[in-house]
Amino acid sequence: MRSSREWNFAGRLVNRLGKDSDLIDAATGQRFPAADVPGLIVGFGAGFLSIGLRPGDRVLISCGLNPASTLAYLGAMYAGCVPVLVDERTLAASGDLVFAKAHAKAAWTAKGVRWDWARKNGFPQIEGNFDPCPVHLLRPSPCAENDLAALMPTSGSTGVPRLVMVSHGNLIANTEAIIRSQQLGTDEKAMLIMPVSYCFGASIMHTHLYQGGGVVFDSRFMFPDKVLQAINTYGCTTFAGVPTVYNILLRRSHLQSIALPGLRRFLQAGGVLAPEIVQEMRNIVPTANFFVMYGQTEATARISCLPPDRLDEKLGSAGAPLNNLTTRIVNDKGQELPNGQTGEIQVRGPSVCGGYLDEPEATQRKFDHGWLKTGDLGSRDEEGCLWIKGRTGEFIKIRGFRVSFAEVEAKVAAIPGVYECAAAGAHHSEAGEALTLFIVGENGDHALVERVRHALPPHWTCISVKVVAELPRTANGKIARSQLQILV
């Protein structure tokens, strides 16, 4: 039986770091050598405790594409605090709401970044790095398997993200299962272009460090060739991305002329990638294996994986569940369906999380006696491989990030001149999915449409805004989404 200290995920990770566990910022060239990384993580833990935080206290971690975010996150967990991972953009816009929702005691950010909301509300803000601390001077905080390790954001029905309660046992189980599924070695180095506030990004960081490898962070994907060159410069063995990333690599980079001899694998999750794109990537970089994966934040990260040696026969599938998870397909009555029939995908196992913080009704809707109701429609073949067909939930994934229709509709309806709004999703060649909006509003269609477009956040890709006389509704007054496309 493991001792209470051994369940501390960050403590286990620190003990498993190896000679290749460098943390590198490709954009600036800053490098934290492997020999220093354990002391830096422990130093953050000691630093958080030195300012008065205690095990169990929650601290917001501002997550950018840099090593400091990872050090702060792991250090807080090592000390027994509960890191609340939030991307920099969300914290700048609504950090006070997230702070209150999480019942946080402090917020950490990179040096030189100050938030007006923290100053106005008197919330403690911690800036920059702490001094390194020898590992033997601070042991990882004792914890149990089911103790809360982190709060991970996922989209809710408002502008404030839901916070998924991830335990130490969840992290250990999912990380070890992912390592097995990808056959990660001890000399790996990941190219990470996603912040660790996104469960996909966090899982890449977790698995590579846990296995004794390293991570390169690069915030320059708007210039994809720079990232490709950095893969070679720093000897990266893994590259991960959501569908839009691979679309951009194929259409806006010089992937065909930049050889990647050291790259061992491409990892893809965060939405469905067209089979022809997978095949095109394999043709251009045949020396790197391509892993198709499927996951959700509520399952810590990954749920299934299609290994590269099954791509030819299973192209289009999201693969089989990780070897410590069980899946089933159910109909709208909760009855399990046989192989080949389409229903909701549900998953059970040690990486399924405990629910949403302070949202019992949402938790009850999503989790059912150990089963996670993914909200995704799919089928399962005779070998257990999943085939994703669509979504039951009212959200889409834009560039790998989940956006709820309710959130979009609330924001658009608040724009002057808009009376009502209904949102739908559509395929997009780069973003994977994009919004189509139907609005009821005042006269002056063109001006109103332009006003709506200018009000949308830049990361909400929108391909159409149409002014209509009225919105289709069901008998109980809700928007009839299945009828929206009739309005096009």
Short mmCIF file of all heavy atoms in Angstrom, two decimals, residues 418-475:
data_model
loop_
_atom_site.label_atom_id
_atom_site.label_comp_id
_atom_site.label_asym_id
_atom_site.label_seq_id
_atom_site.Cartn_x
_atom_site.Cartn_y
_atom_site.Cartn_z
N VAL A 418 -29.40 43.87 -30.30
CA VAL A 418 -29.71 42.44 -30.43
C VAL A 418 -30.77 42.08 -29.40
O VAL A 418 -30.62 42.34 -28.21
CB VAL A 418 -28.46 41.57 -30.20
CG1 VAL A 418 -28.82 40.09 -30.27
CG2 VAL A 418 -27.40 41.89 -31.25
N TYR A 419 -31.84 41.46 -29.89
CA TYR A 419 -32.93 41.06 -28.99
C TYR A 419 -32.77 39.61 -28.54
O TYR A 419 -32.99 39.28 -27.37
CB TYR A 419 -34.28 41.22 -29.70
CG TYR A 419 -34.54 42.63 -30.20
CD1 TYR A 419 -35.26 42.83 -31.37
CD2 TYR A 419 -34.07 43.74 -29.52
CE1 TYR A 419 -35.51 44.12 -31.85
CE2 TYR A 419 -34.30 45.03 -29.99
CZ TYR A 419 -35.02 45.22 -31.15
OH TYR A 419 -35.25 46.50 -31.62
N GLU A 420 -32.42 38.76 -29.46
CA GLU A 420 -32.24 37.34 -29.16
C GLU A 420 -31.10 36.81 -30.03
O GLU A 420 -30.81 37.35 -31.09
CB GLU A 420 -33.50 36.53 -29.47
CG GLU A 420 -34.69 36.81 -28.57
CD GLU A 420 -35.85 35.91 -28.94
OE1 GLU A 420 -36.45 36.14 -30.01
OE2 GLU A 420 -36.13 34.97 -28.18
N CYS A 421 -30.52 35.71 -29.58
CA CYS A 421 -29.46 35.08 -30.37
C CYS A 421 -29.52 33.57 -30.18
O CYS A 421 -29.79 33.07 -29.07
CB CYS A 421 -28.08 35.59 -29.93
SG CYS A 421 -26.69 34.71 -30.69
N ALA A 422 -29.28 32.84 -31.24
CA ALA A 422 -29.12 31.39 -31.19
C ALA A 422 -27.81 31.05 -31.89
O ALA A 422 -27.49 31.61 -32.94
CB ALA A 422 -30.29 30.68 -31.86
N ALA A 423 -27.06 30.13 -31.31
CA ALA A 423 -25.76 29.75 -31.87
C ALA A 423 -25.81 28.30 -32.33
O ALA A 423 -26.49 27.46 -31.74
CB ALA A 423 -24.66 29.94 -30.84
N ALA A 424 -25.07 28.02 -33.37
CA ALA A 424 -24.92 26.66 -33.87
C ALA A 424 -23.47 26.48 -34.29
O ALA A 424 -22.70 27.44 -34.34
CB ALA A 424 -25.87 26.40 -35.04
N GLY A 425 -23.11 25.24 -34.57
CA GLY A 425 -21.75 24.94 -34.97
C GLY A 425 -21.68 24.51 -36.42
O GLY A 425 -22.66 24.04 -37.00
N ALA A 426 -20.51 24.70 -37.01
CA ALA A 426 -20.29 24.27 -38.39
C ALA A 426 -18.83 23.88 -38.54
O ALA A 426 -17.96 24.34 -37.79
CB ALA A 426 -20.63 25.40 -39.36
N HIS A 427 -18.57 23.01 -39.50
CA HIS A 427 -17.18 22.60 -39.77
C HIS A 427 -16.38 23.79 -40.29
O HIS A 427 -16.89 24.63 -41.02
CB HIS A 427 -17.15 21.47 -40.80
CG HIS A 427 -15.76 21.11 -41.21
ND1 HIS A 427 -14.90 20.41 -40.39
CD2 HIS A 427 -15.07 21.37 -42.36
CE1 HIS A 427 -13.73 20.25 -41.02
NE2 HIS A 427 -13.83 20.81 -42.21
N HIS A 428 -15.11 23.85 -39.87
CA HIS A 428 -14.21 24.90 -40.33
C HIS A 428 -12.86 24.26 -40.63
O HIS A 428 -12.33 23.49 -39.83
CB HIS A 428 -14.07 25.98 -39.26
CG HIS A 428 -13.36 27.21 -39.73
ND1 HIS A 428 -11.99 27.32 -39.73
CD2 HIS A 428 -13.84 28.39 -40.21
CE1 HIS A 428 -11.65 28.51 -40.19
NE2 HIS A 428 -12.75 29.18 -40.48
N SER A 429 -12.28 24.59 -41.77
CA SER A 429 -11.07 23.90 -42.23
C SER A 429 -9.87 24.12 -41.32
O SER A 429 -9.00 23.26 -41.22
CB SER A 429 -10.72 24.36 -43.65
OG SER A 429 -10.49 25.76 -43.67
N GLU A 430 -9.80 25.26 -40.65
CA GLU A 430 -8.68 25.52 -39.75
C GLU A 430 -9.04 25.35 -38.28
O GLU A 430 -8.30 24.73 -37.52
CB GLU A 430 -8.13 26.94 -39.96
CG GLU A 430 -7.21 27.07 -41.13
CD GLU A 430 -6.47 28.40 -41.11
OE1 GLU A 430 -6.60 29.15 -40.13
OE2 GLU A 430 -5.78 28.66 -42.09
N ALA A 431 -10.18 25.90 -37.88
CA ALA A 431 -10.54 25.90 -36.46
C ALA A 431 -11.16 24.58 -36.02
O ALA A 431 -11.37 24.37 -34.83
CB ALA A 431 -11.51 27.04 -36.16
N GLY A 432 -11.43 23.67 -36.95
CA GLY A 432 -12.10 22.42 -36.61
C GLY A 432 -13.60 22.62 -36.60
O GLY A 432 -14.33 21.99 -37.35
N GLU A 433 -14.08 23.52 -35.74
CA GLU A 433 -15.47 23.92 -35.69
C GLU A 433 -15.53 25.42 -35.53
O GLU A 433 -14.58 26.04 -35.04
CB GLU A 433 -16.22 23.24 -34.53
CG GLU A 433 -16.39 21.74 -34.70
CD GLU A 433 -17.13 21.13 -33.54
OE1 GLU A 433 -16.55 21.05 -32.43
OE2 GLU A 433 -18.30 20.75 -33.72
N ALA A 434 -16.64 26.01 -35.95
CA ALA A 434 -16.82 27.46 -35.84
C ALA A 434 -18.28 27.76 -35.56
O ALA A 434 -19.16 26.90 -35.70
CB ALA A 434 -16.37 28.15 -37.13
N LEU A 435 -18.52 28.99 -35.15
CA LEU A 435 -19.88 29.42 -34.83
C LEU A 435 -20.63 29.91 -36.05
O LEU A 435 -20.05 30.54 -36.94
CB LEU A 435 -19.83 30.56 -33.80
CG LEU A 435 -19.35 30.21 -32.39
CD1 LEU A 435 -19.08 31.50 -31.62
CD2 LEU A 435 -20.39 29.36 -31.67
N THR A 436 -21.93 29.64 -36.06
CA THR A 436 -22.86 30.35 -36.93
C THR A 436 -23.92 30.95 -36.01
O THR A 436 -24.44 30.25 -35.12
CB THR A 436 -23.53 29.40 -37.96
OG1 THR A 436 -24.21 28.36 -37.27
CG2 THR A 436 -22.49 28.79 -38.87
N LEU A 437 -24.21 32.23 -36.18
CA LEU A 437 -25.10 32.95 -35.28
C LEU A 437 -26.36 33.39 -36.01
O LEU A 437 -26.30 33.86 -37.16
CB LEU A 437 -24.39 34.17 -34.70
CG LEU A 437 -23.11 33.91 -33.89
CD1 LEU A 437 -22.55 35.24 -33.39
CD2 LEU A 437 -23.38 32.97 -32.74
N PHE A 438 -27.49 33.26 -35.32
CA PHE A 438 -28.77 33.74 -35.81
C PHE A 438 -29.29 34.74 -34.79
O PHE A 438 -29.43 34.41 -33.61
CB PHE A 438 -29.74 32.57 -35.98
CG PHE A 438 -29.23 31.49 -36.89
CD1 PHE A 438 -28.47 30.44 -36.37
CD2 PHE A 438 -29.48 31.52 -38.24
CE1 PHE A 438 -27.98 29.45 -37.21
CE2 PHE A 438 -29.00 30.54 -39.09
CZ PHE A 438 -28.25 29.50 -38.57
N ILE A 439 -29.56 35.96 -35.23
CA ILE A 439 -29.95 37.00 -34.29
C ILE A 439 -31.27 37.65 -34.70
O ILE A 439 -31.57 37.80 -35.90
CB ILE A 439 -28.86 38.09 -34.14
CG1 ILE A 439 -28.54 38.73 -35.49
CG2 ILE A 439 -27.60 37.50 -33.52
CD1 ILE A 439 -27.54 39.89 -35.37
N VAL A 440 -32.04 38.01 -33.72
CA VAL A 440 -33.25 38.83 -33.90
C VAL A 440 -32.91 40.19 -33.33
O VAL A 440 -32.47 40.30 -32.18
CB VAL A 440 -34.46 38.22 -33.17
CG1 VAL A 440 -35.68 39.11 -33.36
CG2 VAL A 440 -34.72 36.80 -33.66
N GLY A 441 -33.08 41.25 -34.17
CA GLY A 441 -32.68 42.57 -33.68
C GLY A 441 -33.36 43.70 -34.42
O GLY A 441 -34.27 43.48 -35.23
N GLU A 442 -32.88 44.86 -34.14
CA GLU A 442 -33.44 46.07 -34.74
C GLU A 442 -33.07 46.16 -36.20
O GLU A 442 -32.22 45.40 -36.70
CB GLU A 442 -32.94 47.29 -33.98
CG GLU A 442 -31.42 47.46 -34.07
CD GLU A 442 -30.92 48.57 -33.18
OE1 GLU A 442 -31.66 49.01 -32.27
OE2 GLU A 442 -29.77 48.99 -33.39
N ASN A 443 -33.68 47.11 -36.91
CA ASN A 443 -33.40 47.29 -38.33
C ASN A 443 -31.96 47.71 -38.54
O ASN A 443 -31.29 48.20 -37.65
CB ASN A 443 -34.35 48.32 -38.93
CG ASN A 443 -35.80 47.86 -38.91
OD1 ASN A 443 -36.06 46.67 -38.97
ND2 ASN A 443 -36.74 48.80 -38.84
N GLY A 444 -31.51 47.56 -39.78
CA GLY A 444 -30.13 47.91 -40.10
C GLY A 444 -29.26 46.68 -40.04
O GLY A 444 -28.33 46.60 -39.25
N ASP A 445 -29.61 45.69 -40.88
CA ASP A 445 -28.96 44.39 -40.80
C ASP A 445 -27.44 44.47 -40.86
O ASP A 445 -26.74 43.88 -40.04
CB ASP A 445 -29.46 43.49 -41.93
CG ASP A 445 -30.92 43.09 -41.73
OD1 ASP A 445 -31.53 43.57 -40.75
OD2 ASP A 445 -31.41 42.30 -42.56
N HIS A 446 -26.90 45.19 -41.84
CA HIS A 446 -25.46 45.20 -42.04
C HIS A 446 -24.74 45.79 -40.83
O HIS A 446 -23.76 45.23 -40.34
CB HIS A 446 -25.10 45.99 -43.30
CG HIS A 446 -23.62 46.07 -43.54
ND1 HIS A 446 -22.89 44.99 -43.99
CD2 HIS A 446 -22.73 47.10 -43.37
CE1 HIS A 446 -21.62 45.35 -44.09
NE2 HIS A 446 -21.50 46.61 -43.72
N ALA A 447 -25.24 46.89 -40.35
CA ALA A 447 -24.59 47.54 -39.20
C ALA A 447 -24.66 46.66 -37.96
O ALA A 447 -23.70 46.56 -37.18
CB ALA A 447 -25.25 48.89 -38.92
N LEU A 448 -25.77 45.97 -37.77
CA LEU A 448 -25.93 45.11 -36.61
C LEU A 448 -25.00 43.90 -36.70
O LEU A 448 -24.37 43.52 -35.71
CB LEU A 448 -27.39 44.65 -36.49
CG LEU A 448 -27.74 43.82 -35.26
CD1 LEU A 448 -27.42 44.58 -33.98
CD2 LEU A 448 -29.22 43.42 -35.29
N VAL A 449 -24.91 43.34 -37.88
CA VAL A 449 -24.01 42.20 -38.09
C VAL A 449 -22.58 42.59 -37.78
O VAL A 449 -21.84 41.86 -37.10
CB VAL A 449 -24.15 41.65 -39.52
CG1 VAL A 449 -23.00 40.70 -39.85
CG2 VAL A 449 -25.49 40.96 -39.70
N GLU A 450 -22.15 43.75 -38.28
CA GLU A 450 -20.79 44.20 -38.02
C GLU A 450 -20.56 44.47 -36.54
O GLU A 450 -19.50 44.19 -35.99
CB GLU A 450 -20.49 45.47 -38.83
CG GLU A 450 -20.36 45.22 -40.32
CD GLU A 450 -19.30 44.19 -40.62
OE1 GLU A 450 -18.15 44.38 -40.18
OE2 GLU A 450 -19.63 43.16 -41.26
N ARG A 451 -21.56 45.00 -35.86
CA ARG A 451 -21.45 45.24 -34.43
C ARG A 451 -21.25 43.92 -33.67
O ARG A 451 -20.44 43.83 -32.74
CB ARG A 451 -22.71 45.95 -33.94
CG ARG A 451 -22.57 46.61 -32.56
CD ARG A 451 -23.88 47.26 -32.15
NE ARG A 451 -24.40 48.14 -33.20
CZ ARG A 451 -25.68 48.42 -33.36
NH1 ARG A 451 -26.58 47.89 -32.54
NH2 ARG A 451 -26.08 49.22 -34.33
N VAL A 452 -21.99 42.89 -34.06
CA VAL A 452 -21.85 41.58 -33.42
C VAL A 452 -20.46 41.01 -33.67
O VAL A 452 -19.79 40.52 -32.75
CB VAL A 452 -22.94 40.62 -33.93
CG1 VAL A 452 -22.65 39.19 -33.49
CG2 VAL A 452 -24.31 41.06 -33.43
N ARG A 453 -20.02 41.08 -34.91
CA ARG A 453 -18.71 40.52 -35.24
C ARG A 453 -17.59 41.19 -34.44
O ARG A 453 -16.68 40.52 -33.95
CB ARG A 453 -18.43 40.64 -36.74
CG ARG A 453 -19.24 39.68 -37.60
CD ARG A 453 -18.74 39.68 -39.03
NE ARG A 453 -19.42 38.71 -39.87
CZ ARG A 453 -19.13 37.42 -39.91
NH1 ARG A 453 -18.16 36.94 -39.15
NH2 ARG A 453 -19.79 36.60 -40.71
N HIS A 454 -17.66 42.50 -34.31
CA HIS A 454 -16.62 43.23 -33.58
C HIS A 454 -16.65 42.92 -32.08
O HIS A 454 -15.63 43.05 -31.40
CB HIS A 454 -16.76 44.73 -33.81
CG HIS A 454 -16.31 45.18 -35.16
ND1 HIS A 454 -15.05 44.92 -35.65
CD2 HIS A 454 -16.96 45.86 -36.15
CE1 HIS A 454 -14.94 45.43 -36.87
NE2 HIS A 454 -16.09 46.00 -37.20
N ALA A 455 -17.81 42.52 -31.57
CA ALA A 455 -17.93 42.25 -30.14
C ALA A 455 -17.47 40.85 -29.74
O ALA A 455 -17.25 40.59 -28.56
CB ALA A 455 -19.38 42.44 -29.70
N LEU A 456 -17.32 39.96 -30.70
CA LEU A 456 -16.93 38.59 -30.38
C LEU A 456 -15.46 38.51 -29.99
O LEU A 456 -14.62 39.17 -30.60
CB LEU A 456 -17.19 37.67 -31.58
CG LEU A 456 -18.66 37.51 -32.01
CD1 LEU A 456 -18.72 36.59 -33.23
CD2 LEU A 456 -19.50 36.95 -30.88
N PRO A 457 -15.12 37.71 -29.00
CA PRO A 457 -13.70 37.50 -28.66
C PRO A 457 -12.97 36.93 -29.87
O PRO A 457 -13.54 36.15 -30.65
CB PRO A 457 -13.76 36.48 -27.52
CG PRO A 457 -15.13 36.62 -26.95
CD PRO A 457 -16.02 36.96 -28.10
N PRO A 458 -11.71 37.29 -30.06
CA PRO A 458 -10.98 36.85 -31.27
C PRO A 458 -10.83 35.34 -31.37
O PRO A 458 -10.67 34.81 -32.48
CB PRO A 458 -9.62 37.54 -31.12
CG PRO A 458 -9.52 37.94 -29.69
CD PRO A 458 -10.91 38.19 -29.23
N HIS A 459 -10.88 34.61 -30.23
CA HIS A 459 -10.70 33.17 -30.30
C HIS A 459 -11.99 32.44 -30.61
O HIS A 459 -12.00 31.21 -30.72
CB HIS A 459 -10.10 32.63 -28.99
CG HIS A 459 -10.90 32.95 -27.77
ND1 HIS A 459 -10.97 34.22 -27.25
CD2 HIS A 459 -11.65 32.18 -26.96
CE1 HIS A 459 -11.74 34.21 -26.17
NE2 HIS A 459 -12.16 32.99 -25.98
N TRP A 460 -13.12 33.17 -30.77
CA TRP A 460 -14.38 32.57 -31.20
C TRP A 460 -14.49 32.72 -32.72
O TRP A 460 -14.97 33.73 -33.21
CB TRP A 460 -15.56 33.24 -30.53
CG TRP A 460 -15.76 32.88 -29.08
CD1 TRP A 460 -15.00 32.04 -28.34
CD2 TRP A 460 -16.79 33.37 -28.23
NE1 TRP A 460 -15.49 31.97 -27.06
CE2 TRP A 460 -16.60 32.77 -26.96
CE3 TRP A 460 -17.86 34.25 -28.40
CZ2 TRP A 460 -17.42 33.02 -25.88
CZ3 TRP A 460 -18.69 34.49 -27.32
CH2 TRP A 460 -18.48 33.88 -26.07
N THR A 461 -14.04 31.74 -33.45
CA THR A 461 -14.14 31.79 -34.90
C THR A 461 -15.61 31.73 -35.31
O THR A 461 -16.33 30.80 -34.92
CB THR A 461 -13.37 30.62 -35.53
OG1 THR A 461 -12.01 30.68 -35.11
CG2 THR A 461 -13.44 30.69 -37.05
N CYS A 462 -16.04 32.72 -36.09
CA CYS A 462 -17.44 32.80 -36.51
C CYS A 462 -17.49 32.95 -38.02
O CYS A 462 -16.86 33.86 -38.58
CB CYS A 462 -18.13 33.98 -35.82
SG CYS A 462 -19.87 34.19 -36.29
N ILE A 463 -18.23 32.07 -38.68
CA ILE A 463 -18.27 32.11 -40.14
C ILE A 463 -19.54 32.77 -40.68
O ILE A 463 -19.62 33.08 -41.86
CB ILE A 463 -18.13 30.70 -40.74
CG1 ILE A 463 -19.25 29.78 -40.25
CG2 ILE A 463 -16.77 30.12 -40.42
CD1 ILE A 463 -19.24 28.42 -40.92
N SER A 464 -20.55 32.98 -39.80
CA SER A 464 -21.80 33.54 -40.32
C SER A 464 -22.59 34.20 -39.20
O SER A 464 -22.70 33.65 -38.11
CB SER A 464 -22.65 32.43 -40.96
OG SER A 464 -23.93 32.90 -41.31
N VAL A 465 -23.13 35.40 -39.50
CA VAL A 465 -24.08 36.07 -38.61
C VAL A 465 -25.27 36.45 -39.48
O VAL A 465 -25.14 37.23 -40.42
CB VAL A 465 -23.47 37.33 -37.96
CG1 VAL A 465 -24.51 38.00 -37.06
CG2 VAL A 465 -22.22 37.00 -37.17
N LYS A 466 -26.42 35.88 -39.15
CA LYS A 466 -27.61 36.11 -39.99
C LYS A 466 -28.72 36.71 -39.13
O LYS A 466 -29.04 36.21 -38.06
CB LYS A 466 -28.08 34.79 -40.61
CG LYS A 466 -29.27 34.95 -41.55
CD LYS A 466 -29.62 33.63 -42.20
CE LYS A 466 -30.83 33.76 -43.11
NZ LYS A 466 -30.61 34.73 -44.20
N VAL A 467 -29.33 37.81 -39.62
CA VAL A 467 -30.45 38.43 -38.95
C VAL A 467 -31.73 37.75 -39.43
O VAL A 467 -31.97 37.62 -40.63
CB VAL A 467 -30.51 39.94 -39.23
CG1 VAL A 467 -31.72 40.57 -38.54
CG2 VAL A 467 -29.23 40.62 -38.77
N VAL A 468 -32.55 37.28 -38.47
CA VAL A 468 -33.79 36.58 -38.81
C VAL A 468 -34.96 37.25 -38.08
O VAL A 468 -34.78 37.98 -37.11
CB VAL A 468 -33.71 35.09 -38.42
CG1 VAL A 468 -32.63 34.40 -39.22
CG2 VAL A 468 -33.48 34.93 -36.92
N ALA A 469 -36.15 36.96 -38.56
CA ALA A 469 -37.35 37.56 -37.96
C ALA A 469 -37.67 36.94 -36.61
O ALA A 469 -38.13 37.62 -35.68
CB ALA A 469 -38.54 37.42 -38.91
N GLU A 470 -37.47 35.63 -36.48
CA GLU A 470 -37.72 34.95 -35.22
C GLU A 470 -36.91 33.66 -35.18
O GLU A 470 -36.48 33.15 -36.22
CB GLU A 470 -39.21 34.65 -35.03
CG GLU A 470 -39.81 33.76 -36.10
CD GLU A 470 -41.29 33.51 -35.87
OE1 GLU A 470 -41.82 34.00 -34.86
OE2 GLU A 470 -41.90 32.79 -36.68
N LEU A 471 -36.75 33.11 -33.97
CA LEU A 471 -35.99 31.89 -33.79
C LEU A 471 -36.94 30.70 -33.63
O LEU A 471 -37.99 30.82 -33.00
CB LEU A 471 -35.11 31.99 -32.55
CG LEU A 471 -34.05 33.09 -32.56
CD1 LEU A 471 -33.33 33.13 -31.21
CD2 LEU A 471 -33.06 32.88 -33.70
N PRO A 472 -36.61 29.56 -34.20
CA PRO A 472 -37.45 28.37 -34.02
C PRO A 472 -37.37 27.87 -32.58
O PRO A 472 -36.30 27.89 -31.96
CB PRO A 472 -36.84 27.35 -35.00
CG PRO A 472 -35.40 27.77 -35.13
CD PRO A 472 -35.41 29.27 -35.03
N ARG A 473 -38.46 27.45 -32.03
CA ARG A 473 -38.49 27.03 -30.63
C ARG A 473 -39.25 25.71 -30.47
O ARG A 473 -40.13 25.37 -31.28
CB ARG A 473 -39.15 28.11 -29.76
CG ARG A 473 -38.37 29.42 -29.75
CD ARG A 473 -38.92 30.39 -28.72
NE ARG A 473 -38.14 31.63 -28.70
CZ ARG A 473 -37.00 31.79 -28.06
NH1 ARG A 473 -36.49 30.78 -27.36
NH2 ARG A 473 -36.35 32.93 -28.09
N THR A 474 -38.92 25.00 -29.41
CA THR A 474 -39.64 23.77 -29.07
C THR A 474 -40.91 24.14 -28.31
O THR A 474 -41.15 25.31 -28.00
CB THR A 474 -38.77 22.87 -28.18
OG1 THR A 474 -38.49 23.55 -26.94
CG2 THR A 474 -37.45 22.55 -28.87
N ALA A 475 -41.68 23.13 -27.96
CA ALA A 475 -42.94 23.38 -27.27
C ALA A 475 -42.72 24.00 -25.89
O ALA A 475 -43.57 24.75 -25.41
CB ALA A 475 -43.70 22.07 -27.12
#
